[in-house]
Amino acid sequence: MTRYHHLADIIGERIEQGLYNRGQRLPSVRALSVEHGVSISTVQQAYRVLEHRQLITARPKSGYFVCQQHGLPALPEMCRPAQRPVEISQWDLVLQLTRTRSARDVIHLGPGVPDVTATTLKPLRTLMSRVALHPDLRSMHYDELSGSAPLREQIARLIIDSGSHVAPEGIIITTGCHEALSIAIHALCRPGDIVAVDSPSFHGVTQILKGFGMKALEIPTDPLTGISLEALELALEQWPIKAIQLTPNCNNPLGYIMPDAHKVALLTLAQRYDTPIIEDDVYADLAYHYPRPRTIKSFDEDGRVLLCSSFSKTLAPGLRIGWIEPGRYMEQVLHMKYIGTGATATQPQLAIAEFLRQGHYLKHVSRMRARYQLNRDIMTEWVQRYFPAGTRISRPQGGFLLWIELPPAFDTVRLNRQLENKGVQVAVGPIFSASGKYRHCLRLNYANRMTPAIEAAVKCIGETVAQQLEACAKLNPAAETAQDEQ
């Protein structure tokens, strides 16, 4: 975490606690510099962050003041507990999202892809070329089924930050995190089996369940603390759940980080009902606070947690390099890897291993954390400015995805069709539900630089939302009145 973000959090907490009143002049840049032992530029950057968070405002020749009206937007609401497991739908909407990614005349705010233009990725591109041109032609051959030994060694060192201590031999390299999740589910479950998932959840997982003929049981999820342990316990009592799948750190799409106490309680539940946990940790290295959050795997002592991750969100999705640490399920997972893709591509494995060994990875993710946190504040401010009043917005603690909730009767599928004609695309809410919930929600990506074009796209979305709400109100004025009374 950068010094200016740390300082911004300190001042922001003071404002929220009422230590600085609304409209009150804040300490001068020089005074804060002396008080906290930081440079003047660090204080100035911290104040800029607070301006983007709409907590303070600058007045020419007068200094910085607490905003007269400030406060974070309301959070999305937690869904109701599912009554039964369901067969998965929404494939047509997921396929539509994947097809539109290649359109160059569209501003893509839907796909969950990182910023690949960062200068800190230049060493990786150089290493890719160097590996390809190496005279031993190693990158042109199959590597081990479990993956390149140098990469597995570097990953074992990397995940020490998450609280896990894993031998390189316990790691299997996969073709992205998507394959890691797929072979984990395939190793544990059979057609007709039930898997408990957080809700909303990553659409890739639910589509994996659909492809394998399995059912999902959606568990309500708090936008700040994660999956409801009470609802999960009730589900475990009522249904023969074969596995629990969730993303506890920098969740997709809500962005929360599950508290450690909840992680331990979840693991205790899984032990009581002898249920394996498939943990998706793909965004966790992008947590805004350092050290990065611990995994559920780090508390696991009996090998029931299968930890899945990749470099698709931290480096670049086109590398297609992920990994899984399957614990007690090593043999089953290795067999699924063999009958699936077999050995993973060698060249990117060798390049990433060297990128990690030379220390470039930690420098890169450190810079991207700060960038994404600032982008989150800017995107949140734009949504508050351009979307209708009452819009609910998530508060991501890492990653680069924002979850937005509109009035219950709103239709984001229809919205997306209107937006595509205007050169803008979002990820619609139903794809994050096995049963098609969240039709009134959408997800926005804020990974790229916050340019005027991106702001114009957010404004376009907000205006189109307002137009659709107005049209709905004219067709059903009684519903609008009831909504206002609530």
Side-chain angles (χ1 to χ4, degrees), residues 11-12 14-16 18-27 47 50 54-59 63-71:
I11 300 171
R14 292 177 180 177
I15 293 173
E16 295 296 338
L19 299 179
Y20 295 128
N21 297 320
R22 296 187 181 187
Q24 180 180 344
R25 186 179 186 275
L26 292 166
Y47 272 157
L50 292 170
Q54 290 187 298
L55 290 176
I56 70 172
T57 183
R59 298 179 188 173
Y64 292 90
F65 293 78
V66 180
C67 289
Q68 290 289 350
Q69 294 183 345
H70 69 269

Side-chain angles (χ1 to χ4, degrees), residues 64 73 126 130 165 187 195 238 242 303 314 327 396 425:
Y64 292 90
T126 300
R130 190 176 300 167
H165 296 272
V195 177
Q238 291 182 328
K242 293 296 184 180
T314 52
Q425 179 223 31

Side-chain angles (χ1 to χ4, degrees), residues 4-61:
Y4 68 86
H5 272 113
H6 179 65
L7 179 58
D9 287 344
I10 292 174
I11 300 171
E13 287 177 5
R14 292 177 180 177
I15 293 173
E16 295 296 338
Q17 293 168 3
L19 299 179
Y20 295 128
N21 297 320
R22 296 187 181 187
Q24 180 180 344
R25 186 179 186 275
L26 292 166
S28 69
V29 171
R30 189 173 298 278
L32 278 179
S33 173
V34 173
E35 178 186 350
H36 294 276
V38 297
S39 67
I40 287 176
S41 64
T42 296
V43 178
Q44 290 172 331
Q45 287 177 305
Y47 272 157
R48 290 192 194 102
V49 169
L50 292 170
E51 282 187 276
H52 284 302
R53 294 180 185 174
Q54 290 187 298
L55 290 176
I56 70 172
T57 183
R59 298 179 188 173
K61 299 182 180 180

Side-chain angles (χ1 to χ4, degrees), residues 52-295:
H52 284 302
R53 294 180 185 174
Q54 290 187 298
L55 290 176
I56 70 172
T57 183
R59 298 179 188 173
K61 299 182 180 180
S62 298
Y64 292 90
F65 293 78
V66 180
C67 289
Q68 290 289 350
Q69 294 183 345
H70 69 269
L72 295 170
L75 287 164
E77 293 184 318
M78 189 162 63
C79 72
R80 296 177 181 177
Q83 295 182 346
R84 66 185 189 281
V86 297
E87 294 182 354
I88 293 88
S89 54
Q90 321 313 319
W91 167 237
D92 56 333
L93 296 177
V94 174
L95 186 60
Q96 181 182 0
L97 179 65
T98 63
R99 283 174 173 169
T100 55
R101 282 190 301 212
S102 59
R104 295 186 178 181
D105 57 344
V106 174
I107 295 180
H108 300 282
L109 298 179
V113 295
D115 179 7
V116 298
T117 65
T119 57
T120 44
L121 287 177
K122 286 183 178 180
L124 179 60
R125 295 196 291 270
T126 300
L127 289 166
M128 291 282 285
S129 300
R130 190 176 300 167
V131 167
L133 296 173
H134 199 278
D136 67 5
L137 299 180
R138 181 180 175 185
S139 67
M140 304 294 285
H141 295 279
Y142 287 124
D143 211 314
E144 298 178 43
L145 178 61
S146 57
S148 164
L151 179 57
R152 286 186 284 124
E153 181 179 343
Q154 291 301 322
I155 290 173
R157 293 178 179 179
L158 180 66
I159 62 177
I160 291 175
D161 276 355
S162 72
S164 295
H165 296 272
V166 179
E169 294 76 21
I171 295 169
I172 299 172
I173 305 300
T174 60
T175 305
C177 187
H178 201 106
E179 186 192 24
L181 293 166
S182 177
I183 61 178
I185 292 170
H186 206 182
L188 299 173
C189 307
R190 297 294 176 266
D193 282 348
I194 301 168
V195 177
V197 297
D198 46 5
S199 181
S201 60
F202 170 46
H203 53 78
V205 167
T206 53
Q207 292 305 315
I208 290 169
L209 298 179
K210 176 181 176 66
F212 290 154
M214 301 168 190
K215 295 182 179 180
L217 183 59
E218 297 182 270
I219 307 298
T221 302
D222 185 274
L224 287 181
T225 59
I227 196 168
S228 168
L229 299 178
E230 294 80 5
L232 178 61
E233 183 174 10
L234 183 62
L236 288 166
E237 290 176 356
Q238 291 182 328
W239 301 98
I241 293 172
K242 293 296 184 180
I244 302 165
Q245 195 287 317
L246 74 167
T247 307
N249 293 324
C250 309
N251 174 268
N252 173 15
L254 287 171
Y256 64 81
I257 294 175
M258 180 183 285
D260 284 352
H262 287 216
K263 293 172 182 173
V264 173
L266 172 63
L267 184 59
T268 301
L269 266 180
Q271 290 169 338
R272 187 192 311 166
Y273 291 92
D274 194 23
T275 307
I277 298 172
I278 302 172
E279 180 177 11
D280 182 351
D281 197 53
V282 72
Y283 289 95
D285 279 347
L286 298 175
Y288 301 145
H289 294 274
Y290 189 83
R292 55 144 290 166
R294 291 188 63 168
T295 57

